Amino acid sequence: MNYTSPNWSNAILMTIDTQNDFVLPDAPARIDGTWEVTSKIRELLQVFRQNNLPILHIIRLYKADGSNVDICRREAVEKGFRIAVPHTQGAELVDEIKPNNETRLCPDQLLRGNFQEIANVEWIMYKSRWGAFYRTNLEKFLRTQNIDTIIISG
């Protein structure tokens, strides 16, 4: 058995922080280069969708009061800097990667730690910190889905 080659039958594609407030060219917390690779991310998503392979979009949500914000951004959010606020367009996935135009986040469900199913074998999950495994059910989710290969984009 080869332990270093992808096992495509048990693979998942993860997008990380591909939300309007981080990706769009005029975004308040734009991550340089992300918008420019969005078309490549979309191509990866199309391959996974066409082959009915699982996809997980990992997102951030920052409460307006700053109570769940990373320390490095907390002061700015407490002073009114608004990024990835639940129920805003900025928190939503960029249109280019959504499975359909009707896809919207369910922030209340996500903030409770639940995975939101948005299409067949496609979900969204909220991460409370920069690491998606920190205080989440991600490992359990991957084990339940029998995933042993992770492709990361975003």
Side-chain angles (χ1 to χ4, degrees), residues 65-124:
D65 67 1
S67 63
N68 71 333
V69 178
D70 299 300
I71 291 173
C72 64
R73 289 185 172 145
R74 186 169 296 154
E75 183 178 1
V77 170
E78 288 173 344
K79 290 181 177 180
F81 185 58
R82 295 179 50 86
I83 54 173
V85 176
H87 305 288
T88 66
Q89 190 59 30
E92 293 292 332
L93 295 173
V94 292
D95 289 340
E96 290 75 11
I97 69 162
K98 293 179 180 180
N100 58 61
N101 292 334
E102 291 79 39
T103 300
R104 296 287 178 268
L105 300 181
C106 294
D108 298 330
Q109 174 185 345
L110 292 163
L111 286 166
R112 284 192 303 271
N114 298 319
F115 287 65
Q116 177 187 344
E117 188 169 3
I118 58 172
N120 186 40
V121 299
E122 189 164 351
W123 302 267
I124 300 172

Side-chain angles (χ1 to χ4, degrees), residues 15-68:
T15 68
I16 311 290
D17 299 339
T18 50
Q19 298 163 262
N20 291 324
D21 277 350
F22 301 117
V23 175
L24 297 179
D26 60 346
R30 181 174 184 266
I31 300 167
D32 288 338
T34 307
W35 174 250
E36 292 76 12
V37 298
T38 301
S39 63
K40 295 296 182 191
I41 295 170
R42 185 175 56 241
E43 288 175 23
L44 278 170
L45 288 163
Q46 288 172 343
V47 169
F48 270 70
R49 288 173 180 145
Q50 289 168 354
N51 289 285
N52 204 36
L53 293 169
I55 298 167
L56 180 61
H57 304 280
I58 300 172
I59 58 124
R60 295 304 311 265
L61 293 170
Y62 291 136
K63 296 178 183 177
D65 67 1
S67 63
N68 71 333

